[in-house]
Amino acid sequence: MRTVEEHLESVLAAIEPVAEEVLPLDQVHGLVLTRDVVSDVDLPRFANSAMDGYAVRATEIADITPEHPRSVPVLGDIAAGDGARHTHREGSVWRIMTGAPIPEGADAVVRVEDTDGRPREVLISHAPEAGENVRPAGDDVRAGDVILRRGTRVGATQLAILASAGVAEVAVTGPVRVVVLSTGDELVPLGEPVGPGQIHDSNGPMLVALIRAAGGTVVHTGHLPDDEKVIKKTLDHHLRDADLVITSGGVSKGGSYDAVKAVLTGTGSMEFAEVGMQPGKPQGFGLLGKRRVPLFTLPGNPVSVLVSFEVFVRPALARLAGRRHTPVTVPAVVQQGWSSPEGRQQYHRVRLTRDAAGTYAAAPVGGAGSHLVGGLAMADGLAVVPAEITQVATGAEVPVLPLRPVEEIEADLAASTDRDTTAASSGQPPSVRGSW
Ligand code: AMP
Ligand code: MG
């Protein structure tokens, strides 16, 4: 049996980022740049006003003080977007709006608050320094500057600088196109009625959600019967254009219904390994077809699928996308101990609350079976118990891998604290607070 770390290492060593693509900005959110991006332009592109006010030449009104304001003629208005060429004329000013080009020859802006705000002749009560309230051209970015380095993931703020610099398309590690296949004669897709002995496919929708949230692009989801011919044909088809294939089910000890394992054994670099973990022991991974497409065969039980995704598929997806995934756990104090199998790293479903000291407290949720989706849906995270530990003691500290954003867990904890306080102080049942 190999360790979780060994298996993860061998998976990551086998895969490379998908090919570079040049894509328009509206398609690159979440993708990773493969080249430095250089700006062709200065930002700001032209000197412009930081305030609504009046564009002046500072030396001409240096005599003005709040005690000795002075009226000056106004040549007209310059609004943001005004493309005309405006020039300063000695002794006068332009009324100017935020973002509008500074007229040639002017060098400062008096804020409207330091004037009486009139349009034709304005009373000014403050003498600005040269440069005051002016955003100089190139102040932020100079033409020729690298604005984003290769390896940067394009998020909201990176989109803002690319758009500002007028960059229409960028080179990125392409979107990772993932195919999800649920296998099993017993499975019925979402929305269809189940007959005797049948169950709804829950791995499919769960995997689709996990992949999307992790930045992958699901290009196909499907159901396959436990039929080797059908499985082989379907896989061959998807190996032509997928970047990653994930199957679930059909890989147990090699029983006669474990069709996925039967079809894939001996193909490509496919390896079926026992990994020292609970749940998720039977793991299959390999590169298949001419394009050497990575393929995970996950176990069938939903909890095993989730754990396998978190531990192996998520880091693999990140690598395919040109990123690195480093799992972040939060420490929690065990509220109620449990046992853990010797020699296997355990991922135990827990619910998080706060203890009296304000730290996270972790309580087991649901049973231990890997088919228990009810308990899974209640879990905030997975407590990670090292292979050598066989008993997790009450009061011990464990690292917990969150299953949803920590800020959501925090919001729920804050809401329940609010409810407790309201109920305790009023003696009333908790209710929605707020006023209109
Ligand atoms: P298997 O590895 O195919 O024997 O599946 C193990 C268990 O997981 C069985 O109880 C299956 O019915 C269940 N299972 C397999 N695939 C799915 C799925 N897509 N959704 C829900 N349960 C599944
Ligand atoms: Mg099956």
Side-chain angles (χ1 to χ4, degrees), residues 180-244:
V180 176
L181 299 170
S182 301
T183 73
D185 284 338
E186 74 280 29
L187 300 180
V188 172
L190 213 63
E192 285 179 25
V194 286
Q198 294 186 317
I199 62 169
H200 277 120
D201 168 23
S202 60
N203 292 340
M206 178 169 67
L207 280 169
V208 169
L210 287 165
I211 293 159
R212 287 199 178 132
T217 303
V218 178
V219 289
H220 177 83
T221 57
H223 287 88
L224 299 180
D226 290 310
D227 175 323
E228 293 182 24
K229 276 208 193 87
V230 176
I231 293 176
K232 185 168 172 8
K233 198 168 157 228
T234 310
L235 283 176
D236 285 346
H237 171 75
H238 289 297
L239 291 175
R240 277 184 273 169
D241 49 24
D243 298 314
L244 174 66

Side-chain angles (χ1 to χ4, degrees), residues 33 157 292:
L33 298 172
T157 55
R292 297 178 60 72

Side-chain angles (χ1 to χ4, degrees), residues 1-34:
M1 206 152 55
R2 41 170 98 159
T3 66
V4 169
E5 288 70 30
E6 285 164 354
H7 188 62
L8 178 60
E9 250 175 53
S10 79
V11 166
L12 293 181
I15 55 185
E16 287 173 12
V18 302
E20 176 184 79
E21 289 184 38
V22 176
L23 294 173
L25 285 204
D26 63 355
Q27 289 174 35
V28 299
H29 184 206
L31 302 181
V32 172
L33 298 172
T34 44

